[in-house]
Amino acid sequence: MLPPQIRVIQGDGISYESLGDILQAMQDAGFAADNLVFGSGGALLQKVNRDTQKIAFKCSEITDAKGKTTLVYKDPISDHGKKSKMGRLTLEKDALGGIVTITEGKGDPAKDMLVEVFRDGVTLKEWTFAEIRQLAKI
């Protein structure tokens, strides 16, 4: 046994199904299960992750020092469903009140729901908890 203040943390890739395999591998190696601490990530809770929610944060456009912009995106040949959005993005309400992403700088900045929060390491916008609660009602 390790001293009580020391544990091995396994937090990535933990699911209900993998716990047994990990514990068996520990036993086979001669280690006690009490030496482990498991993280409780999405797979142990609701199995919600960026793939099931189809969300990721990625670069979509770069601007060089001379002001030239370049679209940035991925389009994996193995899964075109994972193609990312490219160019300057705006988040706008459509005619039916739904929220849509407009890509490649074709959106209307006056209708953009996105707010610039950070630029070059400087915080540009802060919210109170009450303001966040109100925004969550959208």
Side-chain angles (χ1 to χ4, degrees), residues 22-137:
I22 294 168
L23 290 170
Q24 186 62 54
M26 288 291 290
Q27 182 178 353
D28 293 348
F31 294 101
D34 283 347
N35 288 309
L36 283 175
V37 176
F38 292 106
S40 60
L44 282 176
L45 298 172
Q46 303 91 3
K47 292 194 177 183
V48 174
N49 58 48
R50 67 184 188 150
D51 290 332
T52 59
Q53 297 300 297
K54 298 227 179 242
I55 183 170
F57 296 93
K58 299 181 189 258
C59 174
S60 60
E61 180 181 277
I62 57 172
T63 304
D64 68 17
K66 295 179 182 177
K68 179 181 177 275
T69 60
T70 303
L71 303 180
V72 178
Y73 66 99
K74 71 170 193 173
D75 187 7
I77 59 173
S78 59
D79 185 354
H80 292 290
K82 289 188 174 184
K83 180 179 180 180
S84 63
K85 293 173 173 54
M86 63 179 97
R88 186 160 303 266
L89 308 175
T90 59
L91 195 64
E92 304 176 21
K93 287 193 176 181
D94 65 17
L96 300 175
I99 297 174
V100 295
T101 304
I102 310 298
T103 63
E104 300 179 52
K106 296 175 183 172
D108 181 350
K111 295 179 182 177
D112 193 2
M113 298 170 67
L114 297 174
V115 176
E116 186 173 17
V117 177
F118 303 103
R119 179 182 287 256
D120 299 328
V122 176
T123 302
L124 303 175
K125 173 70 177 158
E126 293 186 22
W127 290 270
T128 66
F129 190 59
E131 289 171 319
I132 291 170
R133 281 186 149 169
Q134 188 61 37
L135 288 169
K137 293 179 182 178

